Amino acid sequence: MPGNSQRKGAVRKKGKTTPAGSGGRVRRGLEGKGPTPRAEDRPYHKAYRKRGPNEAGKTTGAKPKGRASSRASAGGTATAGADWVIGRNPVLEALQAGLPIRRAYVADGVERDDRLRDILTFAAEHGIPLLQATRPELDRLTGGGVHQGVALQLPAFEYADAEDVLADALDAPEGGLVVACDSITDPRNLGAIIRSAAAFGAHGVIIPERRSAQMTAAAWKTSAGAAARVPVARVTNLNRTLKAYADAGFTVVGLAGEAETDIAGFPGIDGPVLLVVGSEGEGLARLVRENCDVLVTIPIQSAVESLNASVATAIALYEVSRSRA
């Protein structure tokens, strides 16, 4: 109605009252949650992380420390972290892809089928020990996930140093080639980018610590084992890293759909190149664009708005490799 300042759809708040017959909610709210756990018993506290794995497991029953290890929820049930692969199909695919294995579990008395027999055969042929666990134990380790009686835990990924990647790329006789990822949040995209980097001879991949996918089990699997051959460096400030590479003589090239320069012939393609790729939806961040020496595009049909980030990276790497050949 004209003159009515109340926003449409808003609900007028009423005075706060205690409902009759609350079932004891008010009383329970005053009882508290018990004593605060010791610092060394809280997985997110630095005192917990300083303990050795044996001591940690002795006190709380928690798994040994890992970068993305399972953590206890408020109810005390572990949740499967990013370093777990569970389920028969995913486990077999992870084994065949050559993912590094920290521990492999199989549940006691699990029903056997062709998939499980393939897993057992692969493990036996490649000397991978399978630890036996009861179903309740495996449920706890995987946070109640649908593990189908088998699960893998990957070790914490060892990231390379961006300066070491730079030095190795500069020493390469064919011209250095490094890929930097800006806001690539899907670990499968990250894994595919690493796989393409290996296929076209890149000397490393750089990812930021924040707002980026990390090297989880999904990224490992999608890379098809390439993450073991191509160094992946994690940096706290991507823009600072771009400047350092530029100062070292790299041409910093950003992929942007609206750019006017074709990927097939940008200036500096014969020398050390740092290829920067952004997310499919947002593209490159403003500061990242400003730190690029040149923005390049991949010509595509106008009916297609954009390419998947990993696909665009593969095409760009191919063009750089082809022009150098």
Side-chain angles (χ1 to χ4, degrees):
M1 296 176 59
N4 188 350
S5 61
Q6 184 176 3
R7 177 172 55 86
K8 182 179 179 180
V11 178
R12 189 181 299 277
K13 294 184 179 179
K14 296 182 179 180
K16 187 174 181 181
T17 60
T18 301
S22 63
R25 286 194 304 271
V26 175
R27 176 179 56 79
R28 286 197 299 268
L30 297 174
E31 290 178 355
K33 299 180 179 179
T36 302
R38 297 181 304 168
E40 57 267 30
D41 291 340
R42 286 175 271 168
Y44 51 83
H45 198 281
K46 63 182 181 180
Y48 176 91
R49 296 193 292 271
K50 288 181 179 179
R51 298 185 306 168
N54 293 334
E55 184 182 356
K58 193 186 306 177
T59 306
T60 64
K63 301 197 332 298
K65 173 189 170 185
R67 180 184 54 80
S69 60
S70 302
R71 295 173 182 165
S73 66
T77 302
T79 56
D83 56 349
W84 282 94
V85 179
I86 62 174
R88 300 189 182 189
N89 284 337
V91 164
L92 182 58
E93 291 172 1
L95 291 173
Q96 293 173 339
L99 270 66
I101 306 301
R102 181 180 179 186
R103 293 188 182 92
Y105 293 92
V106 60
D108 293 332
V110 64
E111 182 180 351
R112 298 201 176 194
D113 60 5
D114 291 341
R115 266 300 189 233
L116 183 57
R117 279 189 284 272
D118 289 340
I119 292 172
L120 298 177
T121 300
F122 189 97
E125 291 177 348
H126 293 80
I128 301 173
L130 291 173
L131 303 177
Q132 288 191 319
T134 64
R135 276 194 172 274
E137 288 173 337
L138 204 53
D139 288 342
R140 179 181 62 82
L141 289 171
T142 61
V146 185
H147 52 72
Q148 298 175 310
V150 288
L152 302 177
Q153 186 184 26
L154 308 186
F157 185 80
E158 295 184 7
Y159 290 97
D161 189 285
E163 293 184 358
D164 292 338
V165 174
L166 185 153
D168 291 342
L170 286 177
D171 290 340
E174 68 278 11
L177 179 59
V178 179
V179 179
C181 299
D182 176 32
S183 302
I184 302 295
T185 56
D186 187 336
R188 290 165 297 185
N189 264 343
L190 175 59
I193 288 171
I194 294 170
R195 187 174 184 178
S196 295
F200 294 106
H203 300 93
V205 175
I206 298 172
I207 62 173
E209 287 185 356
R210 300 178 58 192
R211 295 185 294 276
S212 171
Q214 306 296 309
M215 282 306 301
T216 62
W220 258 112
K221 188 169 69 172
T222 311
S223 78
R229 303 189 300 274
V230 176
V232 179
R234 186 170 60 176
V235 298
T236 56
N237 190 312
L238 181 59
N239 286 296
R240 189 181 303 150
T241 301
L242 299 185
K243 292 178 181 178
Y245 272 63
D247 291 342
F250 277 77
T251 299
V252 182
V253 182
L255 285 177
E258 76 284 359
E260 297 181 357
T261 304
D262 194 298
I263 181 63
F266 62 85
I269 196 170
D270 294 330
V273 170
L274 176 59
L275 179 68
V276 190
V277 57
S279 65
E280 181 178 353
E282 300 297 329
L284 298 174
R286 179 182 59 82
L287 286 177
V288 171
R289 287 169 176 264
E290 293 177 0
N291 283 307
C292 291
D293 296 311
V294 58
L295 297 178
V296 299
T297 186
I298 299 172
I300 59 177
Q301 295 292 328
S302 58
V304 179
E305 292 183 1
S306 63
L307 294 172
N308 173 273
S310 61
V311 173
T313 304
I315 295 173
L317 289 171
Y318 166 75
E319 286 293 344
V320 173
S321 176
R322 184 181 65 85
S323 67
R324 291 179 172 182

